[in-house]
């Protein structure tokens, strides 16, 4: 099993793409929290390990994420990199407006066989 664990202070929200910022601000707070954390985990995976180019995450692939006011814990997520899916666990905490990621921990798991993609709502 491949594993990467990281405790990272994210880029400040000001470093975020303006289009992403504008889109996030239109969302309800809980959806904004989910989407902001999804974007951050994709960015951090790609930044931390150059063999990955993460472009999509499904936070609920293997288990329902646990939400609190300013945090999400996703023990059964998956992410896609270069057309292949991998298991993922992550915890993400944001500020009250859900725009600034204060803390992110993640762990990359095994590659998911293509035969299982349909079962877990993963797509090419």
């Amino acid at each position: 099993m491949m594993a990467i664990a990281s405790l990272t202070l994210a880029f400040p929200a000001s470093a975020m793409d303006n289009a992403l910022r504008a889109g996030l601000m239109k969302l309800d707070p809980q959806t904004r929290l989910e989407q902001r954390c999804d974007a951050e985990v994709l960015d951090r995976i790609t930044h931390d390990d150059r063999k990955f180019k993460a472009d999509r995450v499904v936070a609920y692939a293997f288990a329902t994420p646990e939400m609190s006011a300013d945090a999400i814990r996703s023990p059964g997520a998956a992410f896609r990199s270069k057309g292949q899916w991998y298991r993922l666990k992550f915890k993400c905490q944001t500020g009250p407006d859900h725009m600034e990621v204060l803390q992110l921990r993640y762990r990359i798991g095994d590659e998911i066989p293509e035969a299982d993609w349909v079962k877990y709502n993963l797509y090419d």
Side-chain angles (χ1 to χ4, degrees), residues 42-55:
L42 289 175
D43 190 51
R44 298 311 303 168
I45 288 169
T46 298
H47 178 267
D48 292 346
D49 189 334
R50 295 294 181 174
K51 76 179 177 181
F52 293 114
K53 185 166 178 26
D55 66 354

Side-chain angles (χ1 to χ4, degrees), residues 60-74:
Y60 52 83
F62 300 98
T64 302
E66 299 168 16
M67 306 288 291
S68 64
D70 297 328
I72 181 171
R73 180 178 169 270
S74 187

Side-chain angles (χ1 to χ4, degrees), residues 27-59:
L27 301 174
D28 67 86
Q30 185 163 354
T31 303
R32 183 182 315 137
L33 170 65
E34 291 177 53
Q35 294 296 314
R36 180 64 186 101
C37 287
D38 287 355
E40 187 69 20
V41 76
L42 289 175
D43 190 51
R44 298 311 303 168
I45 288 169
T46 298
H47 178 267
D48 292 346
D49 189 334
R50 295 294 181 174
K51 76 179 177 181
F52 293 114
K53 185 166 178 26
D55 66 354
R56 191 162 311 264
V57 67
V58 177

